[in-house]
Amino acid sequence: MNKTRLLTTMAVFVAIGTLGAQMLWFPAGIAKAYPVQHAVNVMAAVILGPVPAVVIAFTIGLLRVLLGIGTLLAFPGGMIGALLAGVFYKFSRKKIFAVVGEVIGTGVIGALFAVPYAKVLMGSSGGAFAFLPSFLVSSIAGAMIGWVVVSRVSQKHLLLPS
C-alpha cells in the first residue's frame, strides 16, 4: 500500500473513531464504554497492521481529549489494545485473534495500566477492580463489532490490498 493510501485510510479510521465515540457510548461501571474505539482498533489491526493501528488509537484518543468527549483513560486502553490486536493478527492471520488481542490488551492490560495512570495524571484513586469491568465490557463489545465488520468486508473481497 502506498503512503498516500495508507495515510488516507488511517485518517478515515480516525474520523470514524472520533465521531463514533460521540454517537455510540454507554455507562459501564466507573467509566464510559466507547465500543467504536475498539472496533476501529480491530479493523485497523487487520487491514493495516500493528503500528498504524497504534497511531490511529493515539490520534483518536488525543482528538477525543482535545474535543472534550473523552478522558485520559482513552490512551492506555486504546493503544495497548490496538498493539496487541495487530501483533496477534500478524502472527496468526486469523481475525478472531485480533479480537482476542484487543480484549486482552484493552480489557485486562489497559485496565491494569490505567490504575497508576489515573492516580498520577487524573487524581483518581480507583483500583484495578474498578477499571477492569468497564474496560472489559467496552473492549468485548467493540472488538466483536470490529470482527463482524472485517469478516463481512473480507467476504465481499473489499479489503485493501497490502
Side-chain angles (χ1 to χ4, degrees):
M1 180 180 302
N2 67 38
K3 289 183 182 185
T4 304
R5 188 171 191 164
L6 174 65
L7 287 173
T8 304
T9 305
M10 289 172 68
V12 169
F13 278 131
V14 168
I16 291 168
T18 305
L19 294 174
Q22 176 88 9
M23 292 186 251
L24 180 63
W25 63 272
F26 55 90
I30 65 167
K32 292 179 182 173
Y34 293 98
V36 175
Q37 170 71 62
H38 309 292
V40 167
N41 283 354
V42 169
M43 293 185 291
V46 170
I47 295 170
L48 303 175
V51 174
V54 171
V55 171
I56 290 165
F58 172 79
T59 307
I60 292 170
L62 182 63
L63 285 172
R64 285 178 46 211
V65 168
L66 291 175
L67 293 170
I69 57 173
T71 68
L72 294 174
L73 294 176
F75 291 107
M79 292 171 59
I80 295 168
L83 177 66
L84 283 186
V87 170
F88 280 29
Y89 179 75
K90 183 176 181 177
F91 289 110
S92 70
R93 290 313 221 192
K94 296 183 190 289
K95 293 178 221 42
I96 194 67
F97 282 104
V99 171
V100 171
E102 172 64 27
V103 171
I104 291 171
T106 298
V108 179
I109 298 170
L112 294 174
F113 189 82
V115 174
Y117 184 84
K119 179 73 173 165
V120 171
L121 295 176
M122 300 171 67
S124 174
S125 60
F129 293 113
F131 289 112
L132 203 59
S134 303
F135 278 52
L136 273 173
V137 166
S138 184
S139 64
I140 290 170
M144 295 308 292
I145 293 168
W147 177 62
V148 168
V149 170
V150 167
S151 295
R152 297 291 295 167
V153 167
S154 65
Q155 285 176 353
K156 302 289 183 189
H157 305 291
L158 297 174
L159 284 181
L160 298 172
S162 299

